[in-house]
């Protein structure tokens, strides 16, 4: 799908090339997208060329990749791993918005220094890796719930303005200007480099027992913590 003219596709699309690069200059407008094969790469060089409701899935024994070119911006319906791991390249200045309305889970890699923005009412789960060797990807939560269950996001910053950030994870600097942070998965532990809250944000604490991390939620910060007059929301299910 390369060439001087734009390419327009519709319906569900599967890229199976057995290795190689597919450069999209047009619109994949309506359906879900599966990137499958040995080191297949879909390079998105346009802006808003992927369907806003499209679920981008990865399958294959090696590493199929969605590659957002420098300064490219796009919105999709979420990221999913069908099998294998997959990879999302976020080139400098690029932004990938996940307008997730149904629950999705992605076990692959993020790399380079672009941005992922979580919107939509559904849950998006990350269980893979955040590779900061080429520059740290950043993550924003504006709506819905972003769940991170991975210890490899420690160099990657997270900003929350709405919705909820939760999970048993190791994250970089975390700042909230709204929304909720909820350590663990009922209950659990979240490790962060630093934590900054303000009066429009909420810290959610589940108490189901007497042991940190398994009985009640725990957030461990290795750096500075600013509570900023945030709201504490306690979910008690434990009677001493």
């Amino acid at each position: 799908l390369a060439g001087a003219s734009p390419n327009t596709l519709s319906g569900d699309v599967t890229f199976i090339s057995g290795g190689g690069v597919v450069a999209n200059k047009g619109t994949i407008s309506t359906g879900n997208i599966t990137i499958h094969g040995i080191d297949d790469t879909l390079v998105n060089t346009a802006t808003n060329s992927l369907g806003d409701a499209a679920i981008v899935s990865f399958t294959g024994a090696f590493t199929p990749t969605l590659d957002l070119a420098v300064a490219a911006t796009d919105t999709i319906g979420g990221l999913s791993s069908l099998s294998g791991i997959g990879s999302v390249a976020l080139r400098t200045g690029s932004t990938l918005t996940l307008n997730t309305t149904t629950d999705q889970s992605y076990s692959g890699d993020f790399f380079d220094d672009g941005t992922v923005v979580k919107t939509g009412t559904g849950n998006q789960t990350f269980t893979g890796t955040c590779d900061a060797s080429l520059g740290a990807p950043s993550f924003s939560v504006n709506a819905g719930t972003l769940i991170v269950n991975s210890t490899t996001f420690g160099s990657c910053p997270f900003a929350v303005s709405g919705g909820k950030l939760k999970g048993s994870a190791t994250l970089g600097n975390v700042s909230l200007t709204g929304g909720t942070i909820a350590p663990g998965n009922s209950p659990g532990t979240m490790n962060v480099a630093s934590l900054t809250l303000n009066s429009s944000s909420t810290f959610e604490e589940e108490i189901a027992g007497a042991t940190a991390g398994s009985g009640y939620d725990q957030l461990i910060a290795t750096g500075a913590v600013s509570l900023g007059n945030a709201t504490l929301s306690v979910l008690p299910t434990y009677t001493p």
Side-chain angles (χ1 to χ4, degrees):
L1 295 179
S5 299
N7 311 287
T8 299
L9 304 175
S10 63
D12 292 347
V13 178
T14 300
F15 293 99
I16 306 175
S17 69
V21 174
V22 180
N24 177 40
K25 294 184 178 181
T27 301
I28 300 176
S29 59
T30 59
N32 295 325
I33 301 164
T34 300
I35 306 173
H36 169 85
I38 302 173
D39 294 332
D40 280 351
T41 299
L42 171 59
V43 180
N44 181 13
T45 60
T47 294
N48 297 326
S49 64
L50 305 178
D52 286 356
I55 306 300
V56 177
S57 302
F58 301 85
T59 182
F62 291 88
T63 307
T65 300
L66 172 64
D67 190 332
L68 265 71
V70 172
T73 62
D74 224 318
T75 297
I76 60 175
L79 292 170
S80 175
S81 296
L82 300 178
S83 64
I85 54 173
S87 187
V88 176
L90 301 161
R91 305 304 180 184
T92 300
S94 66
T95 300
L96 179 64
T97 297
L98 306 179
N99 186 32
T100 312
T101 58
T102 58
D103 294 353
Q104 302 296 329
S105 183
Y106 172 62
S107 60
D109 180 38
F110 294 96
F111 68 93
D112 223 331
D113 58 356
T115 301
V116 175
V117 179
K118 169 68 179 74
T119 63
T121 57
N123 296 340
Q124 174 71 65
T125 300
F126 298 152
T127 59
T129 60
C130 185
D131 181 356
S133 61
L134 298 176
S138 60
F139 298 84
S140 297
V141 183
N142 295 350
T145 300
L146 178 60
I147 304 167
V148 184
N149 292 320
S150 171
T151 60
T152 69
F153 283 72
S155 297
C156 300
F158 286 74
V160 182
S161 60
K164 181 183 291 187
L165 173 64
K166 66 175 295 184
S168 294
T170 298
L171 310 178
N173 298 321
V174 177
S175 62
L176 281 78
T177 56
T180 300
I181 187 167
N185 290 293
S186 184
T189 299
M190 178 183 290
N191 295 273
V192 302
S194 66
L195 177 66
T196 302
L197 306 176
N198 74 357
S199 59
S200 298
S201 60
T202 299
F203 185 97
E204 185 177 282
E205 174 74 19
E206 183 175 2
I207 302 176
T211 303
S214 59
Y216 60 88
D217 290 332
Q218 183 180 43
L219 187 143
I220 300 173
T222 57
V225 173
S226 175
L227 299 180
N229 201 30
T231 298
L232 175 64
S233 175
V234 179
L235 307 178
T237 60
Y238 171 67
T239 301

